[in-house]
Amino acid sequence: MTTLAIKIPRITHEKFWEICQANKDLRLELTADGEVIAMSPTHSWTGKQNSGLTAQLWNWNDSSELGVVFDSSTGFTLLNGAVRSPDAAWVDNEHWNSLSEEQQRYEFSPIAPDFVVELRSSSDDLATLQAKMREYLANGVKLGWLIDPKQQKVEIYRIGQTPEILESPTLLSDEDLLPGFELKLNKIW
């Protein structure tokens, strides 16, 4: 995925929303520094991998009904003002239901997901994704998985801990936050 960063000093969330509405075919994010990041569509293979990942998370949540699952087109407004779109995200029901209907339906919800996944595509810079994972944690995300299909590595991010690196795992889970969820990586690799 190719990215283009555009520096727009002191852009407001309203202006960012207008930019997004005027460019609906683009996937955009807003950094805490006011930089608008435009990302190209993913390659077919990455889209296939991401769909498999989101489907597994959605299927687990559908049976557990513990929260709400979001795909890669969803923007979340973090505490630092950034609007980020993880490849997959999950928010527990209590957290989600603390938002008003307007915040849920008509905004980039002002909430940090409880769980995020970033799937590294062939053109993604690893250091940039690692910084994004640290930003998620600094803004309230409890658990993040950075999946690198090319190297078959996973970095697991938890608040207050050094990232755990797994080499060629076949399964990922976290019983504390996501009881019963198992991500089968053979669908991702």
Side-chain angles (χ1 to χ4, degrees):
M1 176 180 357
T2 304
T3 60
L4 170 67
I6 305 166
K7 193 73 164 180
I8 304 174
R10 296 180 295 283
I11 187 171
T12 64
H13 281 161
E14 292 78 19
K15 286 292 180 195
F16 179 65
W17 176 256
E18 287 178 29
I19 291 169
C20 291
Q21 294 308 297
N23 297 281
K24 291 186 179 198
D25 292 336
L26 295 178
R27 183 171 168 214
L28 302 173
E29 288 185 326
L30 177 66
T31 69
D33 297 328
E35 188 174 62
V36 176
I37 300 172
M39 295 165 279
S40 67
T42 61
H43 296 117
S44 300
W45 186 258
T46 302
K48 173 188 163 300
Q49 292 169 309
N50 200 45
S51 292
L53 183 158
T54 305
Q56 289 183 66
L57 184 59
W58 190 90
N59 287 335
W60 162 79
N61 191 70
D62 187 47
S63 63
S64 71
E65 297 184 357
L66 294 175
V68 184
V69 173
F70 301 90
D71 70 5
S72 62
S73 62
T74 307
F76 297 94
T77 304
L78 303 179
L79 291 172
N80 67 358
V83 177
R84 295 296 193 172
S85 300
D87 289 322
W90 178 83
V91 177
D92 78 30
N93 283 326
E94 183 178 348
H95 201 183
W96 179 248
N97 291 330
S98 71
L99 298 174
S100 69
E101 182 177 353
E102 184 174 321
Q103 290 171 319
Q104 291 178 353
R105 290 182 178 264
Y106 305 110
E107 299 179 14
F108 297 120
S109 295
I111 193 169
D114 293 288
F115 169 62
V116 298
V117 180
E118 288 290 347
L119 182 63
R120 184 180 183 199
S121 70
S122 59
S123 61
D124 282 336
D125 176 65
L126 182 59
T128 300
L129 288 176
Q130 291 168 328
K132 193 173 180 182
M133 298 302 286
R134 291 188 300 274
E135 179 184 32
Y136 285 137
L137 291 182
N139 284 275
V141 170
K142 297 174 184 170
L143 175 66
W145 293 344
L146 172 53
I147 301 173
D148 186 342
K150 185 177 181 179
Q151 296 185 28
Q152 292 195 358
K153 286 185 182 179
V154 176
E155 295 182 15
I156 300 173
Y157 290 77
R158 294 181 181 93
I159 294 174
Q161 297 181 24
T162 302
E164 177 183 359
I165 298 174
L166 304 176
E167 303 273 346
S168 301
T170 57
L171 200 65
L172 293 175
S173 65
D174 187 295
E175 283 299 314
D176 293 334
L177 187 62
L178 308 165
F181 176 58
E182 294 181 336
L183 180 65
K184 295 172 183 74
L185 289 164
N186 66 337
K187 306 278 186 185
I188 310 299
W189 300 142

